[in-house]
Amino acid sequence: MQKVLNPKSSLKNEKEFGETIFREGDKVMQIRNNYDLYWESINGQAYGSGVFNGDLGIINKIHNNTIEVIFDDEKVVKYESNILEELEHAYAITIHKSQGSEFPVVVMPITNGPPMLYTRNLLYTGVTRAKRLLIIIGKETIVNYMIKNNDTKKRNTGLKQKMSKYLEMWRGVNE
């Protein structure tokens, strides 16, 4: 896909990392939280640390072993070779990875797969990522199945027990 969307050019620097080739102009995503990663705003008037799972950006510059990414929220981050595994190409992303983001256009392929994954919640999440245009490619029967399938799986996270324990500790300290 990268060869078509951002072809090799003598005008663009690139960096090879494992089997991945990063190139200036590539759309990328931060794939894990990194609270220590330093950033500056584009205008240089703000700075801080923290780049988070799902943040999307464009590779602005590649120089030696450093890749500079400008994220959608206008944070400029420099990645050294030792943390490039935190970036991946984001020309196409899953509904799961798109949560919390919006895009002008969403193309949502719906193909055959396990029926248990085809829920109304998944369809809703995918549809609501589109700001202006949504294109659904797939079988109408599967889309109709998803609309009717409001089954949600109960998650056993233990959150209630963890929060109760935390509250007990907090009360003990503040009494």
Side-chain angles (χ1 to χ4, degrees), residues 1-41:
M1 183 184 310
Q2 182 185 13
K3 291 178 183 177
V4 176
L5 294 174
N6 190 11
K8 186 176 183 72
S9 167
S10 61
L11 303 175
K12 297 178 201 171
N13 292 322
E14 59 182 47
K15 168 84 174 127
E16 193 170 330
F17 179 75
E19 294 183 18
T20 303
I21 297 173
F22 291 109
R23 194 170 287 136
E24 292 172 344
D26 279 345
K27 179 98 171 165
V28 292
M29 176 186 282
Q30 173 77 19
I31 60 166
R32 65 178 61 102
N33 292 336
N34 185 332
Y35 299 95
D36 299 323
L37 198 51
Y38 178 79
W39 59 265
E40 291 184 13
S41 62

mmCIF file of all heavy atoms in Angstrom, residues 1-41:
data_model
loop_
_atom_site.group_PDB
_atom_site.id
_atom_site.type_symbol
_atom_site.label_atom_id
_atom_site.label_comp_id
_atom_site.label_asym_id
_atom_site.label_seq_id
_atom_site.Cartn_x
_atom_site.Cartn_y
_atom_site.Cartn_z
ATOM 1 N N MET A 1 0.815 -1.185 0.000
ATOM 2 C CA MET A 1 0.000 0.000 0.000
ATOM 3 C C MET A 1 0.867 1.260 0.000
ATOM 4 O O MET A 1 0.573 2.203 -0.691
ATOM 5 C CB MET A 1 -0.924 -0.009 1.214
ATOM 6 C CG MET A 1 -1.857 1.177 1.252
ATOM 7 S SD MET A 1 -2.904 1.307 2.687
ATOM 8 C CE MET A 1 -3.611 -0.305 2.799
ATOM 9 N N GLN A 2 1.940 1.273 0.770
ATOM 10 C CA GLN A 2 2.782 2.453 0.893
ATOM 11 C C GLN A 2 3.365 2.850 -0.462
ATOM 12 O O GLN A 2 3.519 4.026 -0.754
ATOM 13 C CB GLN A 2 3.886 2.213 1.901
ATOM 14 C CG GLN A 2 4.761 3.428 2.115
ATOM 15 C CD GLN A 2 5.925 3.150 3.029
ATOM 16 O OE1 GLN A 2 6.219 2.005 3.319
ATOM 17 N NE2 GLN A 2 6.580 4.185 3.480
ATOM 18 N N LYS A 3 3.691 1.866 -1.292
ATOM 19 C CA LYS A 3 4.298 2.170 -2.579
ATOM 20 C C LYS A 3 3.368 3.014 -3.439
ATOM 21 O O LYS A 3 3.803 3.847 -4.204
ATOM 22 C CB LYS A 3 4.669 0.884 -3.304
ATOM 23 C CG LYS A 3 5.799 0.144 -2.639
ATOM 24 C CD LYS A 3 6.105 -1.137 -3.345
ATOM 25 C CE LYS A 3 7.193 -1.898 -2.607
ATOM 26 N NZ LYS A 3 7.487 -3.174 -3.200
ATOM 27 N N VAL A 4 2.052 2.804 -3.303
ATOM 28 C CA VAL A 4 1.076 3.539 -4.087
ATOM 29 C C VAL A 4 0.766 4.884 -3.436
ATOM 30 O O VAL A 4 0.700 5.903 -4.096
ATOM 31 C CB VAL A 4 -0.217 2.711 -4.244
ATOM 32 C CG1 VAL A 4 -1.287 3.503 -4.975
ATOM 33 C CG2 VAL A 4 0.075 1.418 -4.974
ATOM 34 N N LEU A 5 0.556 4.904 -2.128
ATOM 35 C CA LEU A 5 0.129 6.111 -1.441
ATOM 36 C C LEU A 5 1.252 7.112 -1.221
ATOM 37 O O LEU A 5 1.013 8.312 -1.185
ATOM 38 C CB LEU A 5 -0.506 5.756 -0.098
ATOM 39 C CG LEU A 5 -1.810 4.976 -0.205
ATOM 40 C CD1 LEU A 5 -2.285 4.540 1.157
ATOM 41 C CD2 LEU A 5 -2.879 5.829 -0.885
ATOM 42 N N ASN A 6 2.452 6.644 -1.031
ATOM 43 C CA ASN A 6 3.588 7.545 -0.824
ATOM 44 C C ASN A 6 4.818 6.916 -1.474
ATOM 45 O O ASN A 6 5.673 6.352 -0.800
ATOM 46 C CB ASN A 6 3.814 7.780 0.673
ATOM 47 C CG ASN A 6 4.819 8.888 0.926
ATOM 48 O OD1 ASN A 6 5.209 9.620 0.034
ATOM 49 N ND2 ASN A 6 5.250 8.999 2.171
ATOM 50 N N PRO A 7 4.903 7.028 -2.793
ATOM 51 C CA PRO A 7 5.984 6.339 -3.509
ATOM 52 C C PRO A 7 7.368 6.892 -3.190
ATOM 53 O O PRO A 7 7.519 8.031 -2.775
ATOM 54 C CB PRO A 7 5.631 6.566 -4.977
ATOM 55 C CG PRO A 7 4.772 7.773 -4.995
ATOM 56 C CD PRO A 7 4.064 7.821 -3.670
ATOM 57 N N LYS A 8 8.354 6.024 -3.400
ATOM 58 C CA LYS A 8 9.757 6.414 -3.228
ATOM 59 C C LYS A 8 10.050 7.589 -4.146
ATOM 60 O O LYS A 8 9.569 7.662 -5.262
ATOM 61 C CB LYS A 8 10.641 5.220 -3.573
ATOM 62 C CG LYS A 8 12.113 5.442 -3.295
ATOM 63 C CD LYS A 8 12.891 4.160 -3.573
ATOM 64 C CE LYS A 8 14.342 4.307 -3.251
ATOM 65 N NZ LYS A 8 14.631 4.359 -1.824
ATOM 66 N N SER A 9 10.835 8.526 -3.625
ATOM 67 C CA SER A 9 11.181 9.710 -4.405
ATOM 68 C C SER A 9 12.539 10.217 -3.939
ATOM 69 O O SER A 9 12.850 10.174 -2.747
ATOM 70 C CB SER A 9 10.123 10.800 -4.194
ATOM 71 O OG SER A 9 10.574 12.036 -4.679
ATOM 72 N N SER A 10 13.295 10.735 -4.858
ATOM 73 C CA SER A 10 14.591 11.309 -4.489
ATOM 74 C C SER A 10 14.405 12.594 -3.679
ATOM 75 O O SER A 10 15.340 13.071 -3.058
ATOM 76 C CB SER A 10 15.416 11.590 -5.743
ATOM 77 O OG SER A 10 14.740 12.522 -6.571
ATOM 78 N N LEU A 11 13.198 13.132 -3.655
ATOM 79 C CA LEU A 11 12.906 14.354 -2.913
ATOM 80 C C LEU A 11 12.480 14.076 -1.466
ATOM 81 O O LEU A 11 12.297 15.016 -0.692
ATOM 82 C CB LEU A 11 11.808 15.150 -3.619
ATOM 83 C CG LEU A 11 12.105 15.537 -5.072
ATOM 84 C CD1 LEU A 11 10.902 16.219 -5.701
ATOM 85 C CD2 LEU A 11 13.334 16.421 -5.142
ATOM 86 N N LYS A 12 12.283 12.792 -1.130
ATOM 87 C CA LYS A 12 11.823 12.437 0.222
ATOM 88 C C LYS A 12 12.845 11.534 0.897
ATOM 89 O O LYS A 12 13.291 10.550 0.315
ATOM 90 C CB LYS A 12 10.504 11.675 0.167
ATOM 91 C CG LYS A 12 9.356 12.426 -0.405
ATOM 92 C CD LYS A 12 8.142 11.521 -0.429
ATOM 93 C CE LYS A 12 7.129 12.010 -1.413
ATOM 94 N NZ LYS A 12 6.054 11.052 -1.595
ATOM 95 N N ASN A 13 13.179 11.853 2.138
ATOM 96 C CA ASN A 13 14.042 10.971 2.918
ATOM 97 C C ASN A 13 13.218 9.814 3.446
ATOM 98 O O ASN A 13 11.999 9.917 3.613
ATOM 99 C CB ASN A 13 14.666 11.738 4.087
ATOM 100 C CG ASN A 13 15.656 12.776 3.609
ATOM 101 O OD1 ASN A 13 16.400 12.555 2.661
ATOM 102 N ND2 ASN A 13 15.651 13.928 4.249
ATOM 103 N N GLU A 14 13.903 8.702 3.704
ATOM 104 C CA GLU A 14 13.223 7.545 4.273
ATOM 105 C C GLU A 14 14.120 6.866 5.288
ATOM 106 O O GLU A 14 15.330 7.057 5.291
ATOM 107 C CB GLU A 14 12.757 6.577 3.196
ATOM 108 C CG GLU A 14 13.846 6.026 2.304
ATOM 109 C CD GLU A 14 13.293 5.110 1.219
ATOM 110 O OE1 GLU A 14 12.304 5.470 0.558
ATOM 111 O OE2 GLU A 14 13.883 4.027 1.037
ATOM 112 N N LYS A 15 13.489 6.072 6.148
ATOM 113 C CA LYS A 15 14.198 5.341 7.204
ATOM 114 C C LYS A 15 13.639 3.932 7.249
ATOM 115 O O LYS A 15 12.443 3.734 7.369
ATOM 116 C CB LYS A 15 13.992 6.050 8.554
ATOM 117 C CG LYS A 15 14.429 5.266 9.772
ATOM 118 C CD LYS A 15 15.898 5.433 10.022
ATOM 119 C CE LYS A 15 16.285 4.756 11.328
ATOM 120 N NZ LYS A 15 17.365 3.842 11.174
ATOM 121 N N GLU A 16 14.526 2.962 7.148
ATOM 122 C CA GLU A 16 14.114 1.566 7.239
ATOM 123 C C GLU A 16 14.218 1.122 8.695
ATOM 124 O O GLU A 16 15.209 1.379 9.378
ATOM 125 C CB GLU A 16 15.019 0.701 6.359
ATOM 126 C CG GLU A 16 14.492 -0.688 6.153
ATOM 127 C CD GLU A 16 15.277 -1.451 5.084
ATOM 128 O OE1 GLU A 16 15.800 -0.813 4.152
ATOM 129 O OE2 GLU A 16 15.356 -2.679 5.217
ATOM 130 N N PHE A 17 13.156 0.467 9.160
ATOM 131 C CA PHE A 17 13.117 -0.059 10.523
ATOM 132 C C PHE A 17 12.521 -1.453 10.441
ATOM 133 O O PHE A 17 11.325 -1.617 10.226
ATOM 134 C CB PHE A 17 12.281 0.844 11.437
ATOM 135 C CG PHE A 17 12.191 0.349 12.845
ATOM 136 C CD1 PHE A 17 13.277 0.466 13.704
ATOM 137 C CD2 PHE A 17 11.038 -0.254 13.308
ATOM 138 C CE1 PHE A 17 13.202 -0.003 15.008
ATOM 139 C CE2 PHE A 17 10.948 -0.721 14.607
ATOM 140 C CZ PHE A 17 12.033 -0.599 15.454
ATOM 141 N N GLY A 18 13.368 -2.473 10.587
ATOM 142 C CA GLY A 18 12.900 -3.851 10.395
ATOM 143 C C GLY A 18 12.417 -4.009 8.962
ATOM 144 O O GLY A 18 13.132 -3.678 8.020
ATOM 145 N N GLU A 19 11.177 -4.466 8.816
ATOM 146 C CA GLU A 19 10.596 -4.621 7.483
ATOM 147 C C GLU A 19 9.794 -3.397 7.048
ATOM 148 O O GLU A 19 9.195 -3.395 5.983
ATOM 149 C CB GLU A 19 9.709 -5.865 7.454
ATOM 150 C CG GLU A 19 10.496 -7.154 7.635
ATOM 151 C CD GLU A 19 9.618 -8.385 7.522
ATOM 152 O OE1 GLU A 19 8.496 -8.303 6.987
ATOM 153 O OE2 GLU A 19 10.069 -9.450 7.975
ATOM 154 N N THR A 20 9.780 -2.366 7.864
ATOM 155 C CA THR A 20 9.003 -1.165 7.583
ATOM 156 C C THR A 20 9.898 -0.079 7.025
ATOM 157 O O THR A 20 11.000 0.140 7.510
ATOM 158 C CB THR A 20 8.331 -0.655 8.879
ATOM 159 O OG1 THR A 20 7.528 -1.691 9.426
ATOM 160 C CG2 THR A 20 7.471 0.559 8.611
ATOM 161 N N ILE A 21 9.389 0.606 6.029
ATOM 162 C CA ILE A 21 10.077 1.778 5.493
ATOM 163 C C ILE A 21 9.201 2.987 5.804
ATOM 164 O O ILE A 21 8.059 3.077 5.345
ATOM 165 C CB ILE A 21 10.310 1.674 3.972
ATOM 166 C CG1 ILE A 21 11.221 0.491 3.664
ATOM 167 C CG2 ILE A 21 10.903 2.981 3.427
ATOM 168 C CD1 ILE A 21 11.382 0.208 2.184
ATOM 169 N N PHE A 22 9.745 3.880 6.608
ATOM 170 C CA PHE A 22 9.069 5.141 6.900
ATOM 171 C C PHE A 22 9.583 6.175 5.915
ATOM 172 O O PHE A 22 10.774 6.251 5.654
ATOM 173 C CB PHE A 22 9.352 5.604 8.330
ATOM 174 C CG PHE A 22 8.716 4.745 9.384
ATOM 175 C CD1 PHE A 22 9.490 3.921 10.188
ATOM 176 C CD2 PHE A 22 7.343 4.767 9.585
ATOM 177 C CE1 PHE A 22 8.913 3.135 11.172
ATOM 178 C CE2 PHE A 22 6.747 3.986 10.567
ATOM 179 C CZ PHE A 22 7.533 3.169 11.360
ATOM 180 N N ARG A 23 8.667 6.977 5.398
ATOM 181 C CA ARG A 23 9.027 7.966 4.391
ATOM 182 C C ARG A 23 8.363 9.297 4.745
ATOM 183 O O ARG A 23 7.259 9.322 5.287
ATOM 184 C CB ARG A 23 8.526 7.461 3.038
ATOM 185 C CG ARG A 23 9.061 8.166 1.844
ATOM 186 C CD ARG A 23 8.700 7.434 0.552
ATOM 187 N NE ARG A 23 9.502 6.225 0.430
ATOM 188 C CZ ARG A 23 9.022 5.035 0.058
ATOM 189 N NH1 ARG A 23 7.765 4.880 -0.235
ATOM 190 N NH2 ARG A 23 9.826 4.000 -0.030
ATOM 191 N N GLU A 24 9.047 10.392 4.461
ATOM 192 C CA GLU A 24 8.440 11.703 4.665
ATOM 193 C C GLU A 24 7.094 11.751 3.940
ATOM 194 O O GLU A 24 6.988 11.339 2.797
ATOM 195 C CB GLU A 24 9.373 12.816 4.175
ATOM 196 C CG GLU A 24 10.625 12.932 5.022
ATOM 197 C CD GLU A 24 11.663 13.891 4.471
ATOM 198 O OE1 GLU A 24 11.585 14.268 3.277
ATOM 199 O OE2 GLU A 24 12.577 14.249 5.233
ATOM 200 N N GLY A 25 6.073 12.219 4.662
ATOM 201 C CA GLY A 25 4.722 12.278 4.106
ATOM 202 C C GLY A 25 3.848 11.110 4.517
ATOM 203 O O GLY A 25 2.637 11.131 4.275
ATOM 204 N N ASP A 26 4.424 10.074 5.139
ATOM 205 C CA ASP A 26 3.636 8.923 5.583
ATOM 206 C C ASP A 26 2.674 9.300 6.703
ATOM 207 O O ASP A 26 3.020 10.062 7.602
ATOM 208 C CB ASP A 26 4.536 7.795 6.128
ATOM 209 C CG ASP A 26 5.149 6.936 5.052
ATOM 210 O OD1 ASP A 26 4.699 6.998 3.895
ATOM 211 O OD2 ASP A 26 6.082 6.177 5.376
ATOM 212 N N LYS A 27 1.476 8.736 6.663
ATOM 213 C CA LYS A 27 0.512 8.845 7.759
ATOM 214 C C LYS A 27 0.868 7.748 8.753
ATOM 215 O O LYS A 27 1.042 6.592 8.379
ATOM 216 C CB LYS A 27 -0.905 8.631 7.213
ATOM 217 C CG LYS A 27 -1.977 8.707 8.245
ATOM 218 C CD LYS A 27 -2.612 10.065 8.240
ATOM 219 C CE LYS A 27 -3.823 10.081 9.124
ATOM 220 N NZ LYS A 27 -4.249 11.418 9.405
ATOM 221 N N VAL A 28 1.016 8.120 10.046
ATOM 222 C CA VAL A 28 1.430 7.161 11.065
ATOM 223 C C VAL A 28 0.561 7.290 12.318
ATOM 224 O O VAL A 28 -0.119 8.298 12.518
ATOM 225 C CB VAL A 28 2.920 7.332 11.459
ATOM 226 C CG1 VAL A 28 3.845 6.942 10.308
ATOM 227 C CG2 VAL A 28 3.215 8.750 11.922
ATOM 228 N N MET A 29 0.625 6.234 13.141
ATOM 229 C CA MET A 29 -0.104 6.207 14.405
ATOM 230 C C MET A 29 0.824 5.768 15.522
ATOM 231 O O MET A 29 1.612 4.835 15.353
ATOM 232 C CB MET A 29 -1.269 5.213 14.322
ATOM 233 C CG MET A 29 -2.035 5.045 15.644
ATOM 234 S SD MET A 29 -3.285 3.744 15.584
ATOM 235 C CE MET A 29 -4.568 4.593 14.687
ATOM 236 N N GLN A 30 0.726 6.455 16.654
ATOM 237 C CA GLN A 30 1.403 6.027 17.882
ATOM 238 C C GLN A 30 0.603 4.832 18.411
ATOM 239 O O GLN A 30 -0.612 4.918 18.548
ATOM 240 C CB GLN A 30 1.410 7.179 18.897
ATOM 241 C CG GLN A 30 1.929 6.815 20.259
ATOM 242 C CD GLN A 30 3.442 6.714 20.330
ATOM 243 O OE1 GLN A 30 4.151 7.235 19.491
ATOM 244 N NE2 GLN A 30 3.929 6.041 21.347
ATOM 245 N N ILE A 31 1.254 3.710 18.694
ATOM 246 C CA ILE A 31 0.508 2.497 19.047
ATOM 247 C C ILE A 31 0.609 2.106 20.515
ATOM 248 O O ILE A 31 0.091 1.048 20.907
ATOM 249 C CB ILE A 31 0.893 1.304 18.150
ATOM 250 C CG1 ILE A 31 2.372 0.978 18.267
ATOM 251 C CG2 ILE A 31 0.487 1.580 16.711
ATOM 252 C CD1 ILE A 31 2.750 -0.365 17.678
ATOM 253 N N ARG A 32 1.241 2.913 21.337
ATOM 254 C CA ARG A 32 1.213 2.681 22.790
ATOM 255 C C ARG A 32 1.426 4.008 23.493
ATOM 256 O O ARG A 32 1.993 4.935 22.927
ATOM 257 C CB ARG A 32 2.226 1.628 23.225
ATOM 258 C CG ARG A 32 3.683 1.975 23.035
ATOM 259 C CD ARG A 32 4.606 0.869 23.540
ATOM 260 N NE ARG A 32 4.399 -0.375 22.851
ATOM 261 C CZ ARG A 32 5.172 -0.851 21.893
ATOM 262 N NH1 ARG A 32 6.246 -0.194 21.522
ATOM 263 N NH2 ARG A 32 4.903 -1.991 21.311
ATOM 264 N N ASN A 33 0.945 4.089 24.696
ATOM 265 C CA ASN A 33 1.144 5.304 25.480
ATOM 266 C C ASN A 33 2.617 5.452 25.825
ATOM 267 O O ASN A 33 3.254 4.496 26.244
ATOM 268 C CB ASN A 33 0.335 5.253 26.769
ATOM 269 C CG ASN A 33 -1.155 5.313 26.519
ATOM 270 O OD1 ASN A 33 -1.617 5.809 25.497
ATOM 271 N ND2 ASN A 33 -1.923 4.799 27.461
ATOM 272 N N ASN A 34 3.133 6.658 25.648
ATOM 273 C CA ASN A 34 4.499 6.971 26.054
ATOM 274 C C ASN A 34 4.445 8.325 26.773
ATOM 275 O O ASN A 34 4.427 9.370 26.137
ATOM 276 C CB ASN A 34 5.448 7.027 24.862
ATOM 277 C CG ASN A 34 6.880 7.231 25.283
ATOM 278 O OD1 ASN A 34 7.177 7.817 26.311
ATOM 279 N ND2 ASN A 34 7.805 6.742 24.457
ATOM 280 N N TYR A 35 4.386 8.249 28.096
ATOM 281 C CA TYR A 35 4.232 9.450 28.909
ATOM 282 C C TYR A 35 5.500 10.300 28.948
ATOM 283 O O TYR A 35 5.441 11.461 29.325
ATOM 284 C CB TYR A 35 3.821 9.064 30.334
ATOM 285 C CG TYR A 35 2.493 8.335 30.360
ATOM 286 C CD1 TYR A 35 2.442 6.944 30.368
ATOM 287 C CD2 TYR A 35 1.299 9.044 30.343
ATOM 288 C CE1 TYR A 35 1.220 6.279 30.372
ATOM 289 C CE2 TYR A 35 0.081 8.384 30.351
ATOM 290 C CZ TYR A 35 0.042 7.004 30.367
ATOM 291 O OH TYR A 35 -1.163 6.352 30.360
ATOM 292 N N ASP A 36 6.627 9.735 28.555
ATOM 293 C CA ASP A 36 7.909 10.434 28.632
ATOM 294 C C ASP A 36 8.329 11.101 27.323
ATOM 295 O O ASP A 36 9.298 11.856 27.310
ATOM 296 C CB ASP A 36 9.007 9.459 29.063
ATOM 297 C CG ASP A 36 8.735 8.858 30.426
ATOM 298 O OD1 ASP A 36 8.217 9.581 31.300
ATOM 299 O OD2 ASP A 36 9.017 7.656 30.615
ATOM 300 N N LEU A 37 7.633 10.818 26.241
ATOM 301 C CA LEU A 37 8.024 11.333 24.932
ATOM 302 C C LEU A 37 7.770 12.846 24.858
ATOM 303 O O LEU A 37 6.649 13.320 25.029
ATOM 304 C CB LEU A 37 7.258 10.601 23.836
ATOM 305 C CG LEU A 37 7.789 10.661 22.424
ATOM 306 C CD1 LEU A 37 9.262 10.282 22.357
ATOM 307 C CD2 LEU A 37 6.992 9.732 21.526
ATOM 308 N N TYR A 38 8.840 13.597 24.631
ATOM 309 C CA TYR A 38 8.792 15.064 24.619
ATOM 310 C C TYR A 38 8.157 15.561 23.334
ATOM 311 O O TYR A 38 8.378 15.013 22.254
ATOM 312 C CB TYR A 38 10.217 15.620 24.746
ATOM 313 C CG TYR A 38 10.295 17.112 24.690
ATOM 314 C CD1 TYR A 38 9.979 17.885 25.807
ATOM 315 C CD2 TYR A 38 10.672 17.763 23.525
ATOM 316 C CE1 TYR A 38 10.045 19.281 25.753
ATOM 317 C CE2 TYR A 38 10.745 19.143 23.456
ATOM 318 C CZ TYR A 38 10.422 19.893 24.575
ATOM 319 O OH TYR A 38 10.482 21.264 24.522
ATOM 320 N N TRP A 39 7.354 16.608 23.424
ATOM 321 C CA TRP A 39 6.763 17.252 22.255
ATOM 322 C C TRP A 39 6.805 18.768 22.404
ATOM 323 O O TRP A 39 6.890 19.294 23.504
ATOM 324 C CB TRP A 39 5.322 16.795 22.013
ATOM 325 C CG TRP A 39 4.386 17.057 23.163
ATOM 326 C CD1 TRP A 39 4.044 16.181 24.148
ATOM 327 C CD2 TRP A 39 3.673 18.269 23.455
ATOM 328 N NE1 TRP A 39 3.175 16.769 25.037
ATOM 329 C CE2 TRP A 39 2.927 18.052 24.629
ATOM 330 C CE3 TRP A 39 3.616 19.522 22.850
ATOM 331 C CZ2 TRP A 39 2.123 19.044 25.197
ATOM 332 C CZ3 TRP A 39 2.798 20.510 23.410
ATOM 333 C CH2 TRP A 39 2.062 20.260 24.569
ATOM 334 N N GLU A 40 6.767 19.434 21.259
ATOM 335 C CA GLU A 40 6.612 20.895 21.199
ATOM 336 C C GLU A 40 5.481 21.193 20.238
ATOM 337 O O GLU A 40 5.243 20.431 19.297
ATOM 338 C CB GLU A 40 7.892 21.560 20.680
ATOM 339 C CG GLU A 40 9.056 21.495 21.620
ATOM 340 C CD GLU A 40 10.274 22.258 21.101
ATOM 341 O OE1 GLU A 40 10.136 23.046 20.128
ATOM 342 O OE2 GLU A 40 11.360 22.062 21.674
ATOM 343 N N SER A 41 4.800 22.312 20.449
ATOM 344 C CA SER A 41 3.763 22.718 19.497
ATOM 345 C C SER A 41 4.430 23.223 18.216
ATOM 346 O O SER A 41 5.609 23.594 18.232
ATOM 347 C CB SER A 41 2.873 23.805 20.095
ATOM 348 O OG SER A 41 3.625 24.963 20.375
#
